[in-house]
mmCIF file of all heavy atoms in Angstrom:
data_model
loop_
_atom_site.group_PDB
_atom_site.id
_atom_site.type_symbol
_atom_site.label_atom_id
_atom_site.label_comp_id
_atom_site.label_asym_id
_atom_site.label_seq_id
_atom_site.Cartn_x
_atom_site.Cartn_y
_atom_site.Cartn_z
ATOM 1 N N ALA A 244 -30.192 15.800 145.904
ATOM 2 C CA ALA A 244 -31.597 15.778 146.306
ATOM 3 C C ALA A 244 -32.415 14.857 145.405
ATOM 4 O O ALA A 244 -33.332 14.162 145.870
ATOM 5 C CB ALA A 244 -32.168 17.195 146.278
ATOM 6 N N LEU A 245 -32.092 14.840 144.127
ATOM 7 C CA LEU A 245 -32.778 13.927 143.211
ATOM 8 C C LEU A 245 -32.445 12.475 143.550
ATOM 9 O O LEU A 245 -33.328 11.604 143.578
ATOM 10 C CB LEU A 245 -32.385 14.245 141.768
ATOM 11 C CG LEU A 245 -33.050 13.404 140.687
ATOM 12 C CD1 LEU A 245 -34.561 13.623 140.683
ATOM 13 C CD2 LEU A 245 -32.468 13.744 139.310
ATOM 14 N N ALA A 246 -31.185 12.225 143.839
ATOM 15 C CA ALA A 246 -30.738 10.850 144.103
ATOM 16 C C ALA A 246 -31.322 10.286 145.392
ATOM 17 O O ALA A 246 -31.653 9.090 145.458
ATOM 18 C CB ALA A 246 -29.214 10.796 144.147
ATOM 19 N N ASP A 247 -31.466 11.108 146.420
ATOM 20 C CA ASP A 247 -31.935 10.570 147.704
ATOM 21 C C ASP A 247 -33.447 10.693 147.914
ATOM 22 O O ASP A 247 -33.978 10.337 148.959
ATOM 23 C CB ASP A 247 -31.183 11.209 148.878
ATOM 24 C CG ASP A 247 -31.506 12.692 149.091
ATOM 25 O OD1 ASP A 247 -32.492 13.198 148.525
ATOM 26 O OD2 ASP A 247 -30.745 13.352 149.843
ATOM 27 N N GLY A 248 -34.151 11.213 146.892
ATOM 28 C CA GLY A 248 -35.603 11.271 146.972
ATOM 29 C C GLY A 248 -36.167 12.531 147.579
ATOM 30 O O GLY A 248 -37.387 12.755 147.544
ATOM 31 N N SER A 249 -35.334 13.406 148.129
ATOM 32 C CA SER A 249 -35.859 14.604 148.795
ATOM 33 C C SER A 249 -36.408 15.620 147.797
ATOM 34 O O SER A 249 -37.332 16.383 148.113
ATOM 35 C CB SER A 249 -34.791 15.241 149.677
ATOM 36 O OG SER A 249 -33.603 15.511 148.959
ATOM 37 N N PHE A 250 -35.859 15.627 146.575
ATOM 38 C CA PHE A 250 -36.418 16.514 145.540
ATOM 39 C C PHE A 250 -37.846 16.096 145.210
ATOM 40 O O PHE A 250 -38.772 16.921 145.184
ATOM 41 C CB PHE A 250 -35.547 16.482 144.279
ATOM 42 C CG PHE A 250 -36.208 17.142 143.084
ATOM 43 C CD1 PHE A 250 -36.257 18.518 142.980
ATOM 44 C CD2 PHE A 250 -36.797 16.379 142.088
ATOM 45 C CE1 PHE A 250 -36.887 19.127 141.893
ATOM 46 C CE2 PHE A 250 -37.418 16.973 141.000
ATOM 47 C CZ PHE A 250 -37.457 18.355 140.899
ATOM 48 N N ASN A 251 -38.067 14.805 144.966
ATOM 49 C CA ASN A 251 -39.406 14.329 144.631
ATOM 50 C C ASN A 251 -40.379 14.534 145.786
ATOM 51 O O ASN A 251 -41.562 14.820 145.569
ATOM 52 C CB ASN A 251 -39.363 12.853 144.235
ATOM 53 C CG ASN A 251 -38.749 12.654 142.857
ATOM 54 O OD1 ASN A 251 -38.811 13.536 142.006
ATOM 55 N ND2 ASN A 251 -38.139 11.501 142.636
ATOM 56 N N ALA A 252 -39.895 14.394 147.013
ATOM 57 C CA ALA A 252 -40.763 14.594 148.177
ATOM 58 C C ALA A 252 -41.230 16.048 148.259
ATOM 59 O O ALA A 252 -42.403 16.323 148.550
ATOM 60 C CB ALA A 252 -40.024 14.198 149.455
ATOM 61 N N LEU A 253 -40.317 16.993 147.993
ATOM 62 C CA LEU A 253 -40.683 18.403 148.022
ATOM 63 C C LEU A 253 -41.650 18.724 146.887
ATOM 64 O O LEU A 253 -42.637 19.460 147.080
ATOM 65 C CB LEU A 253 -39.427 19.276 147.907
ATOM 66 C CG LEU A 253 -39.653 20.787 147.953
ATOM 67 C CD1 LEU A 253 -40.243 21.211 149.294
ATOM 68 C CD2 LEU A 253 -38.349 21.546 147.681
ATOM 69 N N PHE A 254 -41.390 18.163 145.716
ATOM 70 C CA PHE A 254 -42.276 18.392 144.576
ATOM 71 C C PHE A 254 -43.682 17.883 144.880
ATOM 72 O O PHE A 254 -44.680 18.562 144.616
ATOM 73 C CB PHE A 254 -41.708 17.692 143.339
ATOM 74 C CG PHE A 254 -42.457 17.983 142.078
ATOM 75 C CD1 PHE A 254 -42.151 19.096 141.310
ATOM 76 C CD2 PHE A 254 -43.477 17.147 141.657
ATOM 77 C CE1 PHE A 254 -42.853 19.380 140.154
ATOM 78 C CE2 PHE A 254 -44.183 17.420 140.493
ATOM 79 C CZ PHE A 254 -43.865 18.538 139.737
ATOM 80 N N GLU A 255 -43.774 16.701 145.448
ATOM 81 C CA GLU A 255 -45.075 16.123 145.786
ATOM 82 C C GLU A 255 -45.793 16.959 146.844
ATOM 83 O O GLU A 255 -47.027 17.136 146.786
ATOM 84 C CB GLU A 255 -44.870 14.692 146.292
ATOM 85 C CG GLU A 255 -46.125 13.997 146.781
ATOM 86 C CD GLU A 255 -47.110 13.675 145.670
ATOM 87 O OE1 GLU A 255 -46.707 13.636 144.484
ATOM 88 O OE2 GLU A 255 -48.306 13.472 145.992
#
Side-chain angles (χ1 to χ4, degrees):
L245 182 63
D247 69 14
S249 54
F250 168 77
N251 287 333
L253 181 63
F254 186 87
E255 176 69 20

